[in-house]
Every structure is written in structure tokens, then in C-alpha cells.
Amino acid sequence: MLLQKNFWLVVLVLLIVGVAENLQSVESSPRRILLDTDVDTDDFFALLYLLKLNKSEFEVEAITINTNAWTDAGHAVNQIYDILYMMDRDDVAVGIGGEGGILKNGTILPNVGGYLPIIEQGISTVGGCRYRQAIPVGLGGRLDVNANYGIRKAFLPQGRRRYTPLKQPTTQQVMYDKISAGPITVFIIGAHTNFALFLMSHPHLKKNVEHIYVMGGGVRSKNPTGCCPKNASSSCTPTQCGDPGNLFTGYTTNPYAEFNIFGDPFAAYQVFHSGIPITLVPLDATNTIPINEEFFDTFEQTQNTFEAQYIFQSLKMARDTWFNDQFYASYFMWDSFTSGVAISIMRNSHNHNGENEFAEMEYMNITVVTSNRPYGISDGSNPFFDGLKVPKFNLKRGGVHSGHVQTGITDPFCIRNNGKGKCQDGYTKEITGPEAVRVLVATKAKPNPDSRSPLNRAFFKSFLGVLNNPQHSGRFNFTTQFPYYKSVFYKPDFGSKRLGKPVVFDMDMSAGDFLALFYLLKVPVEVINIKAIIVSPTGWANAATIDVVYDLLHMMGRDDIPVGLGEVFAMNQANPNFSAVGDCKYIKAIPHGSGGYIDSDTLYGLARDLPRSPRRYTAENSVKYGAPRDTDHPELRQPLAQEIWNATLKKLEPGSKITVLTNGPLTNLAKLILSNKKAASLIQDVYIVGGHIKSGQKDKGNVFTVPSNKYAEFNILLDPYAAKTIFESTLNITLIPLGVQRRASSFPKLLERLSRMKKTPEARFSLSLLTRLNNLHQKHSRYNHMDTFLAEILGAVFIAGDHSQLKPTLQVKPIKVYANGIVTKDGQTLIDPKQGKPVKVLEKIDLMGYYNTFTKQLSYKKQSAKVASFEEQKIKWRKPPRQ
């Protein structure tokens, strides 16, 4: 009743507050701000709040992206570019990644990318996930954050800025440029890796950093979630209740840490001990400002700007997909609240006690715990000391960094019998003595002084007022930027055509897989009938890259082909007690930076040239599929791989069988065989692009990131247990191994032929992608493996091409896959006459026939693209349709 009674008054007040925020007296020059963010949902709430402020008072000059936490680099950077484009702020510098490393002696090379916590950072972007494994990978985790629940692609406009390999400004470059230019304030609302690396590399520039505002940690906090209700039965067992931290995936080993600080405790220690003044907004304060129903309802009725709409839609989807019914008690204003507290303090900088409108403040003496007692031990957990004569960075033996360092969320060292862990890595601990740092700490959110308002926190009023302020507002969203936007769904009419053999394509979304998909879609449907596509996020790209598959299908007029999202963990890698998280034993072989995830997730910077599909990944869900509740549009739910597989097999015509082509790890096919006993009998043939059968000791595999494993091939190594399952099954297998792939991997020959062919849209795009891969291959050592992706076209051509042109040579060999949990041997494909399975192995093809078959098929006008590019779509959407 109170909300209804005072609603219009609240709306008026919010608008007045928003305007007032921007009319306050300003200094002669604005306060310069650098924001370091992991681009989680609440992070862009904070970013949009800051972008709305008067530029003459507060100027967001740069955004650097923390890439070892809740998002993956390629998806995060393009979302930031799109937000800035919407807000007409393409002037803001954006930095991400970098290919520098840290030598064993502690020397920090230029442009370390921050893809890994400092303790894991070597000389490349390959490394483990001791801290990041606490973050869920799929639903409710990085997948949903990367795609912003599917809202990002549907809502944000797309400008001209994008990630481009070797041209993207790095994090350290942007930090150096902005901090060396003069006094600046730094906001850190993710892990501290980027800024710690900057301070360690450029200590002389500390003087230019006026203040650091940090969201993270928990000092005296007591987690309000996971508690048993007062009237609960004796069988109720509290989980995180009362813990200082919020690691809901890892409290059984570490109940003390908060996610942002836990992402890189050593980096946070460096920042806190830098000598730069710090204000901390920890869980102590954010736990006192949960999103409540009154705030949510008021926000729902006050969305007067595009930025307010984007935030509310994101918040609503977070609520609707929350894992339990405690959203209003467990979703807090973390980073957005920090931005409000920081700005209010900066406006009142004459007051040295941090007085502000939104939070109560107190000075505390704290440190960041980076290792666990006893100090000075050597148990293999601490790369700063273990095996080194001189500790890395000249750290003190027996000092605070020399104890056991948590190795993961199931670290046996950290487990107690009472269910509460003992490790404190990442704990912002209140202490006394020489290790203590005096920090200004927010302890509690202030109430709204207007007791009549339904908004019970002072910051709620400011947040909604600023977002809905018409000044500095977003220009348009994706659809409103085009006066004649129209969503089109392409479904071909095959009429009376006799369709060819049914095929399911299982891909891990590497660059070569998209070239293979183009080819398969160009083969006459009378030869190949693609029934479904399965994407495997256990390979070269992250799960949210499924949107690129949708876009390519839309380009080719095949919105009818179902796409299933596969398992996000290889077999035996998911945590048995919490399947949303797991280890990265094999997937860590993929680089995070150049030539790895950042390039695959953006299709080497070219994905945004593809036309926009009406289909996309969404987090929409329904009770029917095990969700706690139906969302608004459950019909848009992303189907899972096993659902698509089962539906495809069920729809087969009597006597018909499926042909399977796999261009990545065999995770999804193995799960199908294990879960559906009838599946194997409905599969005619399986063509596996992968494996390496060595011809001698010098004939090495291609896993260049794991030099100790000399003879494995990536697709098999990335899930060796799945491969073992398939090769021990009754399936009829044809193997297309590394040997024949290498012979069919000539960039010059393929490019020469493709450049001479007629240029259909798909041929032009393929030529652009191949040209880019070849140029990168020639320019930078990080791209030496580009021919690996070129070879992935071979499987598609082999199953659909004219064998009279290809002239293949096959031989049956007894094949066995090694999978025993030993990374130096797992994934090796062995010839074993006693235990091996008879497998047809492709040994040779006619190379000229292969290149000609691929390039000619792409040049045919039949089954060509329905819409060539995003640019073509934009032209259509800006003109009235023909009558």
C-alpha cells in the first residue's frame, strides 16, 4: 500500500535527485577516474552510474578489464565497447589483456595480460585455475555473465569499436598512459591483478594515484545467507551462515574470503600495502543493502532511459534465474554501491574521515592473507618459494607469503571435519602490528532519511535518480537505433527434394570449425542434411560463443537447425558435490590470450561482421527443465546438447541412422553413449578430427602448451576420458589424425585458390578469416599454431566431398587412447594390437583435389547466404521496406 500511495511522489523525487546530482558545484577540472572491472553484472551497474555523472566533475577516462574472474576477455571487452557506444562515450579508453609474462626470477615483462593470478603467471597466458575454479562456469556463472543472460546481444547497440588481434590496447598500456598523465583515482571492482602488476612495474607512478576505492573483502562481516530460519527443524544444517566471506562454492575450504579478493590474494596484498590511500567497501557494508522487493518494484516502474532499462532487465533475469527463493535476501548492491560511496566521498574530499551520504565509515587496520600458517613450509602449493633458491620477487622466507597457498576449492589442507574450511587465502583480516594497513572501511549502508519512501536505503534513491536522469543518457538500444528494424527468421523450403544423409556436427567453435560449418552448409542438401549442431565449451572457445554459431546459421538462411549447448566440463572434472564448478586439468592447455580464448570468442575480431541472428543464448528457463521457476519467455530457453541429441534420434525416419562429425573434444558424444544405451545403434558412422599416431620419436603432437606431453593432440587431450569412452564403444569410427591434417594445412595454396573463385558472401568471409589467420601466423609467435585450425576443414570435406577428387587412402588400425589422469601421457593415441579398437584411419588425400573441392563449393551460388553481413542488415534497417 505504501508503494502504491507514494509511487508518483517517489518518481518525481528520483528525477529531482538525478538532476541535482549533476548540478552540484564543480572544481575547475574534473576528477579523473580509471575503473578496473571484471564486467560482472553489478560491475556495469556501477559503470553506468559513473558514466551518468557530470563530466565536468567526474571524468571516466579509462576502463581496464580484469580477465581472471567472472567474465572471459573477448566477451567482456565487446560488451564494454557496446555500453560505451550506447552512452556516446567512445572517447573512453579500454584496455584488456596483453602477452607479457613473469620470469622465474620475478622479472615482470611488459604488458602482462592479467589472465592469471600473479602466483600462476608464467611467461605465457596458459595457466591453472586455483582461485578461479570457485566461479561457476556455465549457468549462473561465466556463461550468463559473458552473455548477460542473453540480454546483451538483444539490447546493446553495436558500434565500430571491437577487439582486433594485435591492435587491441592492453591493460598495462592503458593504465600507464592514463596514470602517467597526472592525478587520477582508481576504482577496483574485480580481482586486483591488473593494478598490482602496474604498481610492481611502475612504482614511481604511485604518486599520481590520489586514492583507490575497492569493492571486496569482508572484515567483520557475517554472511546472512545460508542460515536456518528461526522455525526450522533440527534437520536444517546452516551453510555459509555467519562466515566472513561469500565463497558459496568453496566455504567448506575457505569461509573467510570474498570473491574479488580471493581472485588474486597476492595482488590484493600488493595494492593494500602500496602506501596509496584506500577506501574499502567490503561485505560488511554491502550485506546491509540487499536488493529488496520495494526497490525492485520501484525500479520496474521507473525506467526512463536506455541504461535504466538495460540494468533492470539484467537485474530481473538475475532474480528470475536465482538458484533458490532467497534472491531478495542474498543479492546485494556490491559494485554499484561502491561507486556511489566513492563519488560521495570525492564530492566531500575536504572531509578526511570519509563522511558521505550513503555509508557509515570507520578506519581499521587490516591486511590481506595470502598464505596459511605454518609459514616457511614447502609442500608444493606455493610457486613463490617451492624449488627456488631465491624466492620470487625476493619474498621473505618464513614471512607471511611463505605458508601453504590454497590450491583449489577442494584442497585437502583446508578441510576440517566440521564442514567449515580453515584456509584464509584472500581474507581481509583485521590485525595489529607491522603488517597492518590503515584503511577507511564502509561498515553499513545508511538508511533513507525520508521515512515515507519505499526505498529504505539512501543509495537506492541516488541510484535510480542518476540512472533515470535524462542528462548524459544513452542514445538508443539495438533495435531503436534502426528506424525500420525487423527480426527475420529464415527457414528453407526443401519441397520435394530427397534429403541426403543426416549429419550431426559436434564443434568446439575454433576458427576452423566455422570454416567447416560454412562448407557443410554449402554442400547440396541432397548429399548432406544437417540435423543438428552440438557445441562443446570444453575446447577452444567459451560457452557464450554459441551466439556466433547462431549468427553464421542466420547468414546462411538456416535458422531451422537446432543448436545444443554441451557440457562445460570434461569428464571427471566437475566437482562431484557442486557440479557448477570444477577443475581445469586439461582445459588449462588453451591459452587465454592471443591465439586462444580471446581470439576464438571473437572469431579473431570478425564475429561482429556476421549478421545478427534473432536466435541467441538466453538464460530463460522453465520448471519443466528443472529450474526453480518459469521465466518470462521459457520458449527462448537454450537447449542442451543431450536434449538436442535425444530429439534428433527420436525424429529419425525408420531405418535411418546419423552420421557424426566431431571437430573438438568428445565430451558430448561420450555422455550420449553412456546415458542412452540405444544411441550407438542409431549412429551410422563417427568421423573424428583429432588424435595423433606417431610415426617415430620425432613425430610430435600439437599440444605446444604442455611440452611434457610430446605426442598428444588437442582434441583428444582436452577430454581424454571421453575419447577413451568412444574408442572403447561399438561405434564405427573413422579417424582423421594429425598426420594427414598437417599435410592439408597450407595457407598459401588455400588462399590462392579461394581468391580466384567467385565471391559469394560466405567465400568472402572465409577469405577474410583465412587471410587474418595467415597474417597473424606470420607476424607473431603466439600465432604459430594457426595451421591447427586450418586442418579442421578436412573432416567436413572428407564426409561430404567427392572421393574421386580426394582419392583418400584409409587403413584399419587398432587404436587405444591413454587416459589415466597423468597429464604428461593423457590424450595420446596409441596403436595397440591387443587392446586397441579397429578404427579406419585416413592417411592420405589428394591435396589439390581437397583444396579445389573446398574453395569451389564456397563459390557456388546455390545455398548461398541470405544476408551477407551486419553492414547489409544495417542498410536494410535504415530504409523503409519496399511496398
Side-chain angles (χ1 to χ4, degrees), residues 490 492 507 514 517-518 521 530 532-533 546-563 610-611 613-615 865-867:
Y490 294 118
M507 59 189 291
F514 288 99
L517 181 55
F518 269 130
L521 293 168
I530 301 179
I533 294 171
I546 192 173
D547 282 351
V548 184
V549 179
Y550 283 131
D551 288 346
L552 190 152
L553 291 174
H554 184 64
M555 172 183 176
M556 299 303 292
R558 295 304 307 270
D559 290 326
D560 60 305
I561 297 177
V563 181
L610 292 169
S613 170
R615 293 195 293 172
K866 290 291 185 182
V867 55

Side-chain angles (χ1 to χ4, degrees), residues 44-287:
F44 66 75
F45 294 4
L47 170 60
L48 286 166
Y49 181 88
L50 294 173
L51 291 174
K52 292 283 290 185
L53 302 175
N54 192 326
K55 286 178 63 176
S56 63
E57 187 179 8
F58 299 104
E59 173 77 12
V60 178
E61 289 202 0
I63 299 168
T64 52
I65 299 174
N66 165 229
T67 54
N68 61 12
W70 282 88
T71 47
D72 296 292
H75 296 290
V77 68
N78 281 336
Q79 177 166 206
I80 291 295
Y81 281 141
D82 291 345
I83 288 173
L84 292 173
Y85 178 64
M86 179 178 75
M87 301 301 293
D88 199 18
R89 289 301 307 275
D90 281 341
D91 60 300
V92 176
V94 177
I96 192 167
E99 292 301 308
I102 300 178
L103 303 180
K104 288 185 177 181
N105 65 5
T107 300
I108 301 174
L109 301 178
N111 285 314
V112 179
Y115 294 107
L116 303 163
I118 293 174
I119 197 169
E120 297 281 352
Q121 180 65 60
I123 60 172
S124 73
T125 64
V126 173
C129 58
R130 70 168 69 206
Y131 303 125
R132 201 185 193 194
Q133 65 179 255
I135 296 172
V137 175
L139 302 177
R142 281 158 46 198
L143 167 58
D144 282 337
V145 176
N146 284 333
N148 191 26
Y149 304 99
I151 300 167
R152 164 192 157 196
K153 188 178 177 187
F155 191 96
L156 291 178
Q158 179 178 307
R160 295 193 176 276
R161 287 212 291 179
R162 64 173 72 183
Y163 165 81
T164 301
L166 301 184
K167 294 182 179 179
Q168 169 65 43
T170 68
T171 291
Q172 295 301 314
Q173 286 172 341
V174 170
M175 282 189 167
Y176 182 85
D177 290 346
K178 295 302 178 182
I179 295 174
S180 62
I184 196 166
T185 299
V186 175
F187 288 30
I188 305 176
I189 53 176
H192 290 220
T193 311
N194 291 333
F195 196 58
L197 288 167
F198 176 82
L199 294 176
M200 295 168 75
S201 302
H202 307 286
H204 64 288
L205 290 176
K206 290 180 184 179
K207 65 181 186 298
N208 283 0
V209 181
E210 294 182 306
H211 205 99
I212 304 171
Y213 291 93
V214 172
M215 189 281 126
V219 186
R220 302 170 186 168
S221 56
K222 294 183 178 180
N223 199 317
T225 65
C227 300
C228 294
K230 293 180 179 179
N231 58 351
S233 66
S234 58
S235 62
C236 178
T237 302
T239 52
Q240 291 181 272
C241 185
D243 293 349
N246 69 348
L247 298 182
F248 63 92
T249 59
Y251 66 89
T252 57
T253 50
N254 187 332
Y256 299 94
E258 177 274 335
F259 274 104
N260 284 351
I261 307 298
F262 185 71
D264 195 339
F266 182 78
Y269 180 95
Q270 298 302 313
V271 172
F272 275 74
H273 288 259
S274 65
I276 302 170
I278 292 178
T279 294
L280 178 67
V281 182
L283 297 177
D284 307 51
T286 61
N287 284 347

Side-chain angles (χ1 to χ4, degrees), residues 266-318:
F266 182 78
Y269 180 95
Q270 298 302 313
V271 172
F272 275 74
H273 288 259
S274 65
I276 302 170
I278 292 178
T279 294
L280 178 67
V281 182
L283 297 177
D284 307 51
T286 61
N287 284 347
T288 66
I289 186 167
I291 299 291
N292 56 35
E293 289 188 65
E294 291 77 16
F295 171 81
F296 188 92
D297 292 342
T298 304
F299 197 176
E300 187 169 25
Q301 300 300 320
T302 22
Q303 301 175 58
N304 302 325
T305 61
F306 291 113
E307 53 273 22
Q309 293 166 22
Y310 188 56
I311 289 178
F312 180 77
Q313 289 181 28
S314 306
L315 187 63
K316 185 177 187 302
M317 187 60 78

Side-chain angles (χ1 to χ4, degrees), residues 358-371:
F358 308 126
E360 297 178 8
M361 310 298 294
E362 180 181 340
Y363 278 102
M364 298 182 190
N365 295 320
I366 63 175
T367 190
V368 177
V369 177
T370 62
S371 72

Side-chain angles (χ1 to χ4, degrees), residues 25 184 249 327 509 852:
S25 59
I184 196 166
T249 59
F327 173 83
M509 301 180 288
N852 288 333

Side-chain angles (χ1 to χ4, degrees), residues 361-634:
M361 310 298 294
E362 180 181 340
Y363 278 102
M364 298 182 190
N365 295 320
I366 63 175
T367 190
V368 177
V369 177
T370 62
S371 72
N372 301 277
R373 296 178 184 274
Y375 297 141
I377 64 171
S378 181
D379 61 1
S381 70
N382 193 336
F384 289 147
F385 293 88
D386 293 335
L388 299 178
K389 292 183 179 180
V390 179
K392 212 165 190 177
F393 308 122
N394 290 313
L395 298 176
K396 180 183 176 183
R397 291 193 183 277
V400 295
H401 306 299
S402 67
H404 177 93
V405 178
Q406 189 169 350
T407 58
I409 57 174
T410 59
D411 185 347
F413 177 91
C414 304
I415 296 174
R416 286 176 172 154
N417 293 331
N418 64 0
K420 296 282 187 178
K422 68 177 182 179
C423 280
Q424 298 186 6
D425 306 63
Y427 181 23
T428 45
K429 189 174 184 178
E430 195 169 9
I431 64 168
T432 58
E435 280 292 312
V437 178
R438 190 169 185 257
V439 173
L440 183 62
V441 179
T443 60
K444 185 178 180 181
K446 288 183 177 180
N448 186 347
D450 182 2
S451 60
R452 299 171 299 170
S453 172
L455 304 176
N456 68 345
R457 293 290 182 266
F459 181 65
F460 284 160
K461 185 171 70 172
S462 171
F463 184 73
L464 295 185
V466 169
L467 287 179
N468 285 287
N469 181 3
Q471 293 182 340
H472 313 299
S473 182
R475 299 175 292 171
F476 37 63
N477 63 22
F478 181 72
T479 58
T480 61
Q481 68 177 315
F482 304 113
Y484 300 100
Y485 172 81
K486 183 180 179 181
S487 179
V488 179
F489 188 92
Y490 294 118
K491 184 177 181 179
D493 181 8
F494 296 130
S496 59
K497 290 180 180 179
R498 185 179 179 86
L499 300 180
K501 63 181 177 183
V503 171
V504 171
F505 182 33
D506 190 324
M507 59 189 291
D508 68 357
M509 301 180 288
S510 70
D513 288 357
F514 288 99
L515 294 168
L517 181 55
F518 269 130
Y519 178 84
L520 292 173
L521 293 168
K522 289 290 291 183
V523 174
V525 294
E526 296 91 340
V527 178
I528 290 288
N529 177 20
I530 301 179
K531 304 293 288 186
I533 294 171
I534 306 296
V535 300
S536 174
T538 56
W540 280 88
N542 289 291
T545 307
I546 192 173
D547 282 351
V548 184
V549 179
Y550 283 131
D551 288 346
L552 190 152
L553 291 174
H554 184 64
M555 172 183 176
M556 299 303 292
R558 295 304 307 270
D559 290 326
D560 60 305
I561 297 177
V563 181
L565 179 62
E567 298 292 311
V568 296
F569 288 108
M571 289 178 65
N572 301 335
Q573 290 297 287
N575 186 320
N577 298 317
F578 199 139
S579 61
V581 295
D583 203 357
C584 59
K585 185 173 185 176
Y586 302 109
I587 199 72
K588 69 182 181 182
I590 306 294
H592 289 276
S594 295
Y597 286 124
I598 192 170
D599 283 320
S600 294
D601 287 340
T602 60
L603 197 50
Y604 289 76
L606 296 175
R608 288 157 77 90
D609 289 338
L610 292 169
R612 282 286 188 101
S613 170
R615 293 195 293 172
R616 65 187 186 281
Y617 166 80
T618 78
E620 301 279 1
N621 214 332
S622 73
V623 174
K624 177 182 177 182
Y625 293 99
R629 66 194 66 81
D630 285 353
T631 57
D632 286 351
H633 296 283

Side-chain angles (χ1 to χ4, degrees), residues 1-7 10 294 451-455:
M1 290 297 293
L2 180 61
L3 178 61
Q4 293 177 345
K5 184 177 180 180
N6 295 299
F7 171 70
V10 170
E294 291 77 16
S451 60
R452 299 171 299 170
S453 172
L455 304 176

